[in-house]
């Protein structure tokens, strides 16, 4: 009953107002600020929203958070009150203080937290995804936490090799914390790039990408957020991007200038040896590239049209390979038969192929290592859509591939003893890429 009575009279909103610019307020924040009887907050945040407010404004200064919470709780008994916080109120904001205060003092109050765009989200959008997946966040403020603990956490976080976001890097009183923190970064991660974002979406916005050793501690203030890059990063003028791995998965490609030069030279060389823009020529070039063996020009055999494989992949055919070494080399998810082996007299890859049974129907099957798996594939009553078989070795390899060629299934095989997991993966990747770009 008591709570119901409170609800009908007043309510406290803890409102995140985002980084500063009004168009980054949420609609909800805008509504509650406009309709509030009283709005309380630090004067620098009040500044951003005061022209929306129609009620009374109570400004206060830094360090008076508890006092502000107490006043807000009291006023909210019979008024609509907004307690504002920069960014999001739950992230290094005032919401946690309110939660602790009402818990410790057993206060019953009608309240709601209105989320906001945190400095991390704001900076991240300006930088072009410095945080694009896993990341860690730390505040260098030792107001509430001992510096030793911050240092301990910082070291552990840096060892994760994911981007590290630093809130509260500095204040006029705390320049030394940032200096010490940057030394630890240098020890743990080296002289990597750091994004220094000052006043994101506010007047005085400034974005710089620097090396850790070039960060000027004097230039970093309490309106600055730092993002320390991980070992995977793309740096471009004012952008610091952490790739999520799409390019690895979906694009073939050398990354550095040197690697690109090498790739271009070898592509040029191979084009002279195996000219032709068709899929078959490209497959032969890939096999030569993967093995360094020009002999592949003469030993790759195409039964049927490899475009059958491309079509199967395009319509979602599963890829099943014999061993992990082939699976790991692929630019698409696949399953390795060897993981389906039970107890058997046969090799594990062959046993896995048998146990996969009807899963083989309509699949694209790659055999890069195991002649026994290729033989098993010929013996089971299931029919793949396409086979790439390049098992290698001096026992049964040549015979197994001959058996594959005799199946009524289109395939790519090699004659003789040559082949291997790398060649199999290279051929499959060529087909996968063709299916994606076709
Ligand atoms: N609740 C806030 C964070 C408060 S801690 C939020 O969610 O964003 C204050 C710290 O946040 C500052 O010292 C600074 O590191 C960072 N910060 C807040 N607003 C910022 C902005 N517009 N640009 C850059 N950093 C900002």
């Amino acid at each position: 009953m008591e709570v119901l009575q409170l609800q009908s009279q007043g309510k406290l909103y803890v409102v995140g107002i985002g980084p500063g610019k009004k168009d980054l307020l949420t609609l909800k924040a805008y509504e509650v600020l406009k309709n509030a009887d009283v709005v309380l907050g630090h004067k620098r945040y009040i500044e951003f929203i005061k022209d929306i407010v129609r009620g009374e404004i109570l400004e206060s200064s830094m360090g008076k958070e508890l006092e502000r919470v107490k006043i807000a709780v009291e006023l909210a008994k019979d008024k609509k009150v907004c307690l504002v916080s920069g960014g999001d109120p739950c992230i290094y904001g005032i919401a946690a203080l309110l939660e602790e205060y009402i818990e410790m003092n057993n206060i019953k109050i009608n309240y709601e937290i209105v989320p906001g765009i945190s400095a991390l989200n704001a900076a991240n959008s300006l930088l072009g995804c410095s945080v694009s997946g896993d990341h860690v966040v730390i505040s260098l403020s030792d107001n509430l936490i001992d510096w030793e603990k911050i240092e301990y956490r910082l070291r552990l976080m840096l060892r994760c090799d994911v981007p590290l976001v630093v809130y509260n890097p500095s204040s006029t009183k705390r320049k030394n914390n940032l200096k010490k923190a940057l030394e630890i970064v240098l020890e743990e991660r080296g002289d990597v790039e750091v994004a220094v974002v000052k006043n994101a979406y506010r007047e005085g916005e400034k974005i710089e990408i620097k090396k850790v050793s070039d960060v000027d501690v004097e230039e970093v203030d309490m309106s600055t957020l730092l993002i320390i890059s991980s070992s995977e990063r793309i740096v471009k003028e004012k952008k610091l991007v952490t790739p999520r791995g799409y390019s690895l998965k979906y694009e073939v490609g050398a990354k550095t200038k040197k690697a690109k030069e090498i790739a271009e030279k070898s592509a040029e060389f191979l084009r002279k040896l195996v000219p032709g823009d068709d899929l078959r020529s490209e497959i032969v070039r890939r096999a030569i590239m993967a093995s360094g063996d020009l002999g592949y020009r003469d030993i790759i055999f195409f039964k049927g049209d490899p475009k059958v494989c491309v079509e199967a992949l395009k319509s979602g055919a599963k890829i099943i390979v014999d061993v992990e070494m082939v699976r790991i080399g692929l630019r698409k998810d696949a399953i390795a038969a060897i993981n389906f082996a039970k107890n058997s007299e046969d090799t594990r890859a062959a046993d896995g192929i048998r146990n996969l049974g009807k899963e083989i129907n309509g699949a694209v099957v790659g055999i890069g290592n195991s002649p026994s798996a290729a033989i098993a594939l010929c013996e089971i009553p299931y029919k793949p859509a396409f086979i790439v078989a390049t098992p290698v070795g001096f026992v049964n390899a040549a015979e197994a591939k001959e058996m594959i060629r005799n199946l009524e299934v289109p395939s790519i095989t090699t004659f003789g003893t040559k082949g291997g997991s790398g060649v199999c993966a290279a051929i499959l990747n060529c087909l996968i890429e063709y299916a994606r770009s076709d």
Side-chain angles (χ1 to χ4, degrees), residues 352-368:
I353 289 282
R354 287 202 178 86
N355 293 332
L356 279 164
K358 62 179 188 309
E359 295 289 315
I360 301 280
N361 274 335
V364 169
V365 180
I367 309 283

Side-chain angles (χ1 to χ4, degrees), residues 15 17 25 29-36 39 49 52-53 82 84:
V15 186
I17 62 158
L25 269 179
Y30 183 85
E31 282 302 314
V32 293
L33 285 168
K34 198 171 81 178
N35 296 322
V39 174
I49 45 102
I52 302 170
V53 180
C82 284
V84 302

Side-chain angles (χ1 to χ4, degrees), residues 43-210:
K43 49 181 185 281
R44 55 192 271 121
Y45 300 130
I46 293 286
E47 197 54 42
F48 295 128
I49 45 102
K50 68 177 177 207
D51 53 336
I52 302 170
V53 180
R54 297 186 295 200
E56 190 186 348
I57 291 179
L58 296 176
E59 289 183 15
S60 65
S61 56
M62 202 65 141
K64 298 266 168 65
E65 287 84 4
L66 182 58
E67 195 179 292
R68 220 179 298 148
V69 166
K70 283 184 184 167
I71 298 171
V73 167
E74 196 52 37
L75 288 171
K77 282 183 181 157
D78 53 9
K79 289 194 163 86
K80 291 213 170 354
V81 178
C82 284
L83 182 60
V84 302
S85 184
D88 181 89
C90 299
I91 299 180
Y92 306 117
I94 206 157
L97 174 55
L98 173 78
E99 295 284 0
E100 280 180 49
Y101 177 69
I102 58 180
E103 175 67 25
M104 300 297 173
N105 297 288
N106 205 14
I107 294 170
K108 293 211 166 22
I109 175 182
N110 184 17
Y111 76 104
E112 185 179 338
I113 299 175
V114 180
I117 293 178
S118 188
L120 159 58
N121 308 115
N124 207 20
S125 64
L126 296 170
L127 294 165
C129 287
S130 294
V131 168
S132 60
D134 298 344
H135 61 279
V136 282
V137 179
I138 199 162
S139 160
L140 297 188
S141 165
D142 54 359
N143 279 346
L144 302 170
I145 299 180
D146 289 341
W147 176 252
E148 289 68 35
K149 203 169 194 175
I150 295 174
E151 220 179 272
Y152 171 75
R153 290 179 184 175
L154 178 64
R155 276 196 193 277
L156 292 184
M157 287 178 178
L158 285 164
R159 288 175 194 168
C160 296
D161 194 22
V162 293
L164 169 75
V165 183
V166 184
Y167 278 79
N168 292 308
S170 194
S171 73
T172 26
K173 281 184 274 169
R174 284 189 281 108
K175 292 276 174 215
N176 219 24
N177 288 6
L178 177 60
K179 199 162 166 275
K180 283 190 270 180
L182 291 175
E183 278 160 17
I184 295 173
V185 174
L186 280 172
E187 276 172 38
E188 296 289 343
R189 207 170 266 190
D191 204 4
V192 291
E193 281 83 4
V194 186
V196 182
V197 182
K198 192 180 272 194
N199 287 314
Y201 294 101
R202 280 182 200 160
E203 222 177 285
E205 182 182 282
K206 190 172 172 196
I207 301 156
E208 288 178 298
I209 314 294
K210 297 185 162 191

